[in-house]
């Protein structure tokens, strides 16, 4: 009965995740539809538009076709009437991913993470299939298979990651426990896997924070350009609201572009363009307000920003090292080097996936290439994070770590001394020392082979 309840709750979570994503699109579109066309408008096109945008938000590319009357009214060249749009607004994808991870974690706490992931993914896949078959418009076509597979894959990844994270720590009584036992049998190499994943999380969060600060700084520095592009669009209050909501949906995408710029490779805003710390080469840029944040020119000295990903790697190394010290797990140089390499490799993989989702086509002609290139971004980000993590993980142990290790050794020796006198570790110390000796005076025990308080060792760093 409990497993059935877990499956039903996971399916319910998936339904809520899909419904919230669709309603977030449907509500403002309904308001826009009403204000633009009135209550007598044809409401039949509202749902297909909502479903198509929901699919696009999960990485499904759109094949757009501009109607002939629109071409004549706007003066657009006929060769630009059809083009692809594949730069994804990642806000919808991230919401589904995080909601699925939360559902997977809940199923893992109930002891059935695999069942929860399968049940939730199946429910989400059924909803994605229904949306794919019912939300089709001629002006923005989507591939039917991708419309089903990509949203479902996003939910599956989130549910599995959330479930495995909890089950790995708490146990699942099955496959993960057996795998955990195998990893534990590796000795000093056992903590490498968990520490690498933990460090990657810190490195990615550090890069997100750095990118967010960079976007905020550019908004303060070039906010007037953004306002000017809003004014040049000649939209009313409703149109400005729609543009603002679209910008918010693309904010995670902009953060990926910014992270690529900070890492060094930069990104493109059209064929033959480049925006990077080493230099900026732009042609004609679309009049999208958010693109007003693009720097007009840069200096080679701006490459100093690559120290920020190194700092994110150092943060990851510090977090992992602190956790190892707290757990009393002093590792040799080999395992610590493996952890640093693991952090760099996993961070590079995350960067590559993010770059693929945040790049593609954003219009006809030269706009068919936009966003960061996956391979240069992954290599640069992974290498810089690896450098920062290695600095913290491979540096000599400091005085606090050595003092903590000596304290643990002293406690172990004291416990052994208590047992050697026939006492018990759970009795007060006054009951385990020889008669006539003070329970707090350890000097008389030196000649009896007892324990000594910790003293400074020759290799310890001095003040």
């Amino acid at each position: 009965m409990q497993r059935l309840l877990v499956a039903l709750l996971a399916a319910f979570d998936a339904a809520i995740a899909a419904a919230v994503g669709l309603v977030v699109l449907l509500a403002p579109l309904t308001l826009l539809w009403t204000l633009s066309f009135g209550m007598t408008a044809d409401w039949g096109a509202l749902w297909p538009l909502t479903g198509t945008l929901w699919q696009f938000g999960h990485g499904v590319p759109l094949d757009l076709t501009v109607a002939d009357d629109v071409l004549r009214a706007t003066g657009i060249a006929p060769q630009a009437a059809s083009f692809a749009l594949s730069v994804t607004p990642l806000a919808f994808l991230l919401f589904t991913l995080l909601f699925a991870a939360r559902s997977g974690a809940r199923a893992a706490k109930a002891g059935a993470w695999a069942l929860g992931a399968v049940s939730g993914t199946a429910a989400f896949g059924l909803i994605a299939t229904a949306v794919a078959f019912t939300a089709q418009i001629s002006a923005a076509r989507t591939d039917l298979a991708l419309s089903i597979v990509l949203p479902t894959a996003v939910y599956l990844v989130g549910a599995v990651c959330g479930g495995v994270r909890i089950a790995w720590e708490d146990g699942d009584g099955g496959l993960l426990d057996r795998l955990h036992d195998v990893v534990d049998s590796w000795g000093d190499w056992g903590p490498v896997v968990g520490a690498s994943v933990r460090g990657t999380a810190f490195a990615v969060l550090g890069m997100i924070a750095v990118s967010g600060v960079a976007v905020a700084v550019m908004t303060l520095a070039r906010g007037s350009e953004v306002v000017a592009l809003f004014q040049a669009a000649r939209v009313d209050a409703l149109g400005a609201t729609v543009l603002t909501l679209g910008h918010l949906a693309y904010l995670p995408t902009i953060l990926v572009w910014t992270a690529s710029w900070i890492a060094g490779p930069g990104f493109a805003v059209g064929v033959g363009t480049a925006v990077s710390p080493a230099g900026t080469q732009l042609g004609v840029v679309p009049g999208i307000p958010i693109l007003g944040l693009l720097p007009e020119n840069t200096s080679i000295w701006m490459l100093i920003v690559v120290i920020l990903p190194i700092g994110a790697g150092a943060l990851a190394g510090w977090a992992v090292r602190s956790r190892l010290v707290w757990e009393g797990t002093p590792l040799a140089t080999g395992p610590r080097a493996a952890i640093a390499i693991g952090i760099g490799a996993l961070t590079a993989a995350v960067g590559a996936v993010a770059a693929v989702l945040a790049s593609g086509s954003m219009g006809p002609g030269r706009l068919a290439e936009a966003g960061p290139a996956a391979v240069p971004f992954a290599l640069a980000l992974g290498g810089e994070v690896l450098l920062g993590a290695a600095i913290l993980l491979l540096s000599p142990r400091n005085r606090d770590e050595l003092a903590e290790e000596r304290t643990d050794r002293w406690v172990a020796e004291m416990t052994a001394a208590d047992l050697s006198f026939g006492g018990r570790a759970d009795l007060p110390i006054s009951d385990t020392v020889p008669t006539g000796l003070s329970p707090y005076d350890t000097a008389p025990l030196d000649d009896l082979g007892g324990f000594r308080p910790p003293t400074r060792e020759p290799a310890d760093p001095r003040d």
Side-chain angles (χ1 to χ4, degrees):
M1 181 63 184
Q2 182 182 2
R3 295 178 64 84
L4 176 61
L5 184 60
V6 170
L8 292 176
L9 288 177
F12 184 68
D13 283 342
I16 291 178
V20 170
L22 290 168
V23 168
V24 165
L25 285 167
L26 184 60
L29 284 177
T30 302
L31 179 61
L32 176 63
W33 211 265
T34 303
L35 295 178
S36 299
F37 305 107
M39 297 300 296
T40 60
D42 180 14
W43 295 90
L46 186 58
W47 166 250
L49 178 60
T50 301
T52 299
L53 292 178
W54 183 78
Q55 295 165 358
F56 179 52
H58 287 83
V60 182
L62 303 179
D63 292 324
L64 300 180
T65 302
V66 182
D68 293 337
D69 53 346
V70 177
L71 289 177
R72 290 191 296 268
T74 57
I76 299 176
Q79 57 269 27
S82 299
F83 59 93
L85 184 62
S86 56
V87 179
T88 305
L90 292 178
F92 297 99
L93 187 148
L94 285 179
F95 170 78
T96 299
L97 193 70
L98 295 176
F99 204 101
R102 176 177 174 271
S103 177
R106 183 185 305 174
K109 292 177 181 178
W113 68 271
L115 177 62
V118 171
S119 177
T121 302
F124 198 87
L126 289 176
I127 296 174
T129 302
V131 173
F133 277 100
T134 59
Q136 298 182 0
I137 54 180
S138 58
R141 295 186 177 277
T142 58
D143 184 86
L144 183 62
L146 291 179
S147 299
I148 298 173
V149 171
L150 288 182
T152 306
V154 170
Y155 193 92
L156 175 62
V157 170
V160 170
C161 290
V164 169
R165 182 184 67 86
I166 298 298
W168 184 264
E169 297 178 354
D170 299 344
D172 67 339
L175 175 62
L176 287 182
D177 278 349
R178 291 193 295 271
L179 182 60
H180 205 298
D181 292 339
V182 172
V183 172
D184 289 341
S185 67
W186 295 349
D188 282 350
W189 296 90
V192 170
V193 176
S196 298
V197 175
R198 188 179 304 113
T200 301
F202 276 93
V204 171
L205 290 177
M207 282 304 301
I208 293 174
V210 167
S211 301
V213 171
V215 171
V217 170
M218 290 302 297
T219 302
L220 293 176
R222 296 185 57 83
S224 59
E225 298 292 334
V226 176
V227 173
L229 288 174
F230 263 108
Q231 295 173 345
R234 299 183 181 278
V235 293
D236 55 10
L238 181 60
T241 302
V242 172
L243 279 176
T244 302
L245 292 176
H247 283 50
L248 291 176
Y250 271 98
L251 181 58
T253 307
I254 297 301
L255 291 180
V256 176
W257 289 23
T258 306
S260 182
W261 187 89
I262 293 173
F267 55 90
V269 194
V271 177
T273 65
V275 182
S276 70
T280 298
Q281 181 180 355
L282 290 174
V284 179
V285 178
I288 303 174
I290 192 65
L291 296 182
L293 300 180
L294 296 177
E296 295 179 355
N297 51 67
T298 53
S299 170
I300 192 66
W301 295 103
M302 291 298 294
L303 283 173
I304 196 174
V305 297
V306 300
I307 199 174
L308 297 176
I310 296 176
L315 171 65
W318 171 83
V320 169
R321 184 166 179 163
S322 299
R323 178 69 175 264
L324 293 175
V325 172
W326 180 76
E327 292 177 344
T329 313
L331 298 181
T333 302
R336 283 185 283 154
I339 293 173
I341 294 173
I343 293 173
L346 290 177
T347 304
V350 173
V353 173
V356 169
L357 293 174
S359 61
S361 173
M362 58 183 297
R366 60 188 298 270
L367 295 179
E369 182 179 318
V375 174
F377 176 42
L379 292 178
L381 181 62
E384 290 155 4
V385 167
L386 169 60
L387 177 60
I391 291 174
L392 265 291
L393 285 170
L394 300 180
S395 61
R397 291 183 293 174
N398 57 34
R399 182 169 53 251
D400 291 339
E401 293 182 49
L402 293 171
E404 185 169 348
E405 185 177 343
R406 288 200 309 275
T407 301
D408 293 339
R409 187 166 60 248
W410 179 37
V411 171
E413 292 176 355
M414 185 171 61
T415 303
D418 290 344
L419 296 176
S420 68
F421 282 112
R424 291 169 47 194
D426 57 347
L427 293 178
I429 190 171
S430 59
D431 295 335
T432 61
V433 298
T435 306
L437 297 181
S438 169
Y440 303 103
D441 185 9
T442 62
L445 295 177
D446 294 343
D447 297 333
L448 300 177
F451 58 87
R452 294 176 180 271
T455 59
R456 179 185 294 276
E457 297 180 359
D460 292 352
R462 299 181 178 274
D463 295 330

